[in-house]
Amino acid sequence: QKEVEQDPGPLSVPEGAIVSLNCTYSNSAFQYFMWYRQYSRKGPELLMYTYSSGNKEDGRFTAQVDKSSKYISLFIRDSQPSDSATYLCAMRRDAGKSTFGDGTTLTVKP
Amino acid sequence: DTAVSQTPKYLVTQMGNDKSIKCEQNLGHDTMYWYKQDSKKFLKIMFSYNNKELIINETVPNRFSPKSPDKAHLNLHINSLELGDSAVYFCASGHDRGNYGYTFGSGTRLTVV
C-alpha cells in the first residue's frame, strides 16, 4: 500500500466550477502538507503548504487538512482555463523527504 | 534569475552510454534533491544532500551516483544507461526541516534509445 493515495482523475470541468482535489495518507507522522501544480513539460511549483489540521486560504485556493481522518483536499473556486495542470499532493515529517501523490490532471474548459 | 537550474533540458543517448545532469540553486537552501518522474507523472525520490552530506539514498541502482561539490550544486551521473532510465529527472531544493516546500528545476528529459 502506498503511503500517499491521490484521486487519480483525470478531471474535466467547465470554467467557473468549484474543483475538489483529494489525497489520503497512512503515515500518522506526516506533519506538513503541500500542494504543487505542474504544467505540461514544466517542473512542479509549490502552490500551498499547511501544518496541522484546518483550512488555509490563498485567493481562489483553499487547502484543507483533516489529520484525524488522514485526508487532505485542495479546493479551487471559480476555476479558470489557466488552472489546467496536474496537481500533486505531498507530505513530510518534520525532517526528510517529501512523499508525493501520483497527481490528478485537471482540465478547465472555457 | 533562475532559482533552480538544470542542464541539459533534453538528453537523447544510446544504451550503454554514461551521462551527467547538473543542478544549481541560488536560493540559499541547505538541502537538494533528485526526483525521477515517470510517464505517469509519479515523482519518486532518488537522493538528497544536506550541506554536501548524503542524507537520503533510496533504492536506486548503483549506476546512479550523485555528487554535491557544495550546498548550491548537486549533479547526477548515470553509468551504462538502460532503456528503463528514460524519464524526466527533476532537481529540487529546500530546507530539511520545518514548514518548507521545494523549489523544482524545469527538469531534464532523458531518452535512452
Side-chain angles (χ1 to χ4, degrees), chain A residues 2 32 34 36 38 40-44 46 49-51 86 88 92 94-102, chain B residues 10 33 35 37 40-43 45 56 58 90 95-107 109:
Chain A
K2 289 183 180 177
Y32 300 103
M34 289 143 284
Y36 290 82
Q38 186 176 19
S40 181
R41 294 188 173 263
K42 299 284 187 186
L46 182 64
Y49 61 83
T50 56
Y51 172 70
T86 296
L88 299 140
R92 62 186 284 186
D94 180 48
K97 66 182 180 183
S98 286
T99 300
F100 284 80
D102 289 354
Chain B
Y10 300 95
Y33 308 84
Y35 275 84
Q37 188 172 49
K40 294 184 179 179
K41 297 284 191 181
F42 178 56
L43 269 169
I45 183 78
I56 294 174
E58 294 290 298
F90 285 103
H95 289 292
D96 188 48
R97 290 187 174 271
N99 199 9
Y100 273 95
Y102 299 160
T103 302
F104 280 84
S106 56
R109 188 170 295 270

Side-chain angles (χ1 to χ4, degrees), chain B residues 51-89:
Chain B
N51 285 320
K52 301 194 295 176
E53 182 183 346
L54 182 65
I55 57 171
I56 294 174
N57 185 353
E58 294 290 298
T59 308
V60 175
N62 58 14
R63 299 182 294 104
F64 290 79
S65 53
K67 278 205 179 124
S68 181
D70 56 60
K71 73 173 190 177
H73 294 84
L74 179 61
N75 304 323
L76 183 65
H77 188 76
I78 315 170
N79 289 325
S80 303
L81 278 155
E82 301 178 357
L83 293 177
D85 297 332
S86 296
V88 182
Y89 292 84

